Amino acid sequence: MQTKSILSLLALASVPLASATGNNGNGKGSGKSCSHKGLDWYAKKAGLKYFGAATDSPGQRERAGYESAYPKYDEIMWKSGEFGQTTPTNGQKWLFTEPTQGVFNFTEGDIVANLARENKKLLRCHALVWHSQLAPWVEAKSDWTKDELREVVVNHVTNVMNHYKGQCYAWDVVNEAFNEDGTYRESVFYNVLGEEFIELAFKTASKLDPKAKLYYNDYNLESPSPKTEAVRKLVKELQEKKIRIDGVGLQAHLIAENRPTLEQHKAAIKGFAELGVEVALTELDVRLQTPANETNLALQKEGYYNAVSACVQVDGCIGVTIWDFYDPFSWVPFVFEGEGAALLWFEDFSTHPAYDGVVEALKEGRKGKGPKAKRFIA
């Protein structure tokens, strides 16, 4: 996820909505009948492995000014059948898991992991090596030697993966290592170790949990670009060196007013899938200029439809995770001024028109030939 600061991710607030006309007269979704099936059910009928939503620990929301108990939120998240998978939004990141060198704390990540297990949800784990939301001690030292930093990376990956071993369907092993032009992002890891830090992270992860899928995860991979080509090159290089990489995560933090087309999404997904790795939309949201109105909610619906439909249509795309589902818990308003309403549920728990766009994309099923070619039958 792109961030301006740690506080940007932890400070969560609601997004105001303007009145608009739409599915039920105010631009919001029309509601779901008593016979409604959840998004995860539709996704599995369409041939995907899951449809999920990231979620955070109640403590982080409480610190951000929210009460920790949201019965309606919890009912939708865990009991409604809307989601079959989750990702801890923040709790497994370096800042929380190794706040002091060699001292590990899994409290935040365990809250979500335990809820996932109790409610029989698939768990995607996120993220082992990332330049952002690092514990301050990693970047505070300006004279790391290569051997020292190698040891730090191996020790961190080893301890975190061993703690969650057997719980994670997949791990985002390396997150956001590239710039938009396809060059490597400068970070403490790259500046000291160069490209080697990526290989080191994947080699270490592969030894620790052979059953977990190992992913490279990044944003702006949703349409062909120099960045998508750089990640394709990385995948091929790891494969040539016999270093296991199982998947590429397309974060899919999209913009309603400038969303990729369906064909652009499909081209990007195909570009990775043809390398023999699985692909997933890992952090999907579609932000818009607030306050929301009928026009930009329609654009948002199209944005969600395009992304989900592309995943359904392309062999190799296995699932979709939205980056939380409830607008007040979105990271967007605190990173992008004047933007928000990026998810599928408004503050009052009514659904966006985009919810119906997702259902439409899943119901249409896979077009053409292939293992999921059969059309959806309710």
Side-chain angles (χ1 to χ4, degrees), residues 10 41 60 68 300 328 343:
L10 299 183
W41 185 87
Q60 289 180 359
S68 60
Q300 181 185 64
L343 299 170

Side-chain angles (χ1 to χ4, degrees), residues 300-371:
Q300 181 185 64
K301 179 179 179 179
E302 183 178 340
Y304 269 101
Y305 173 88
N306 288 348
V308 175
S309 182
C311 185
V312 171
Q313 290 186 43
V314 179
D315 287 322
C317 192
I318 60 99
V320 177
T321 308
I322 55 176
W323 208 236
D324 216 302
F325 68 89
Y326 182 48
D327 281 340
F329 292 165
S330 172
W331 66 292
V332 168
F334 293 90
V335 179
F336 299 100
E337 186 176 355
E339 297 179 278
L343 299 170
L344 296 181
W345 273 259
F346 287 112
E347 185 175 3
D348 65 358
F349 289 106
S350 63
T351 53
H352 287 227
Y355 181 99
D356 298 325
V358 171
V359 173
E360 289 169 16
L362 295 172
K363 276 190 170 184
E364 286 180 0
R366 183 166 298 241
K367 298 181 174 71
K369 298 179 179 179

Side-chain angles (χ1 to χ4, degrees), residues 120-310:
K120 297 180 172 55
K121 308 297 182 186
L122 200 65
L123 183 69
R124 286 194 84 261
C125 294
H126 172 82
L128 292 169
V129 181
W130 185 29
H131 70 277
S132 186
Q133 287 186 273
L134 275 173
W137 63 267
V138 183
E139 293 182 294
K141 182 177 171 63
S142 60
D143 58 347
W144 289 111
T145 67
K146 288 189 174 183
D147 284 344
E148 287 173 337
L149 196 57
R150 286 189 193 106
E151 184 177 353
V152 164
V153 171
V154 170
N155 189 55
H156 180 78
V157 172
T158 299
N159 278 274
V160 176
M161 286 195 71
N162 277 340
H163 179 80
Y164 290 105
K165 188 172 183 177
Q167 299 181 60
C168 304
Y169 166 74
W171 264 108
D172 291 328
V173 177
V174 176
N175 207 46
E176 300 177 8
F178 290 95
N179 296 311
E180 297 308 299
D181 63 0
T183 59
Y184 281 93
R185 180 193 298 275
E186 289 194 6
S187 67
V188 61
F189 304 112
Y190 181 76
N191 292 343
V192 176
L193 297 174
E195 302 171 27
E196 175 195 343
F197 88 88
I198 299 177
E199 296 181 10
L200 179 63
F202 275 95
K203 282 181 179 178
T204 305
S206 183
K207 296 174 184 177
L208 293 166
D209 193 345
K211 293 184 178 180
K213 301 284 188 179
L214 306 183
Y215 271 66
Y216 175 81
N217 192 57
D218 213 329
Y219 61 90
N220 288 350
L221 299 182
E222 297 78 38
S223 58
S225 69
K227 192 173 191 178
T228 60
E229 286 307 306
V231 176
R232 278 172 44 84
K233 183 172 179 286
L234 170 67
V235 172
K236 288 187 281 189
E237 288 174 348
L238 292 175
Q239 290 173 332
E240 288 167 0
K241 294 178 181 180
K242 309 298 183 185
I243 299 172
R244 180 162 70 92
I245 178 170
D246 302 302
V248 175
L250 283 57
Q251 290 183 12
H253 294 299
L254 308 177
I255 304 170
E257 294 85 357
N258 187 30
R259 65 221 169 278
T261 66
L262 175 59
E263 293 306 314
Q264 286 172 326
H265 278 298
K266 289 168 64 176
I269 294 171
K270 286 177 181 177
F272 295 117
E274 69 185 15
L275 300 178
V277 293
E278 64 182 39
V279 182
L281 305 182
T282 55
E283 304 181 19
L284 175 62
D285 50 31
V286 184
R287 64 186 184 268
L288 47 78
Q289 292 290 324
T290 54
N293 57 62
E294 183 178 8
T295 300
N296 59 20
L297 286 170
L299 295 176
Q300 181 185 64
K301 179 179 179 179
E302 183 178 340
Y304 269 101
Y305 173 88
N306 288 348
V308 175
S309 182

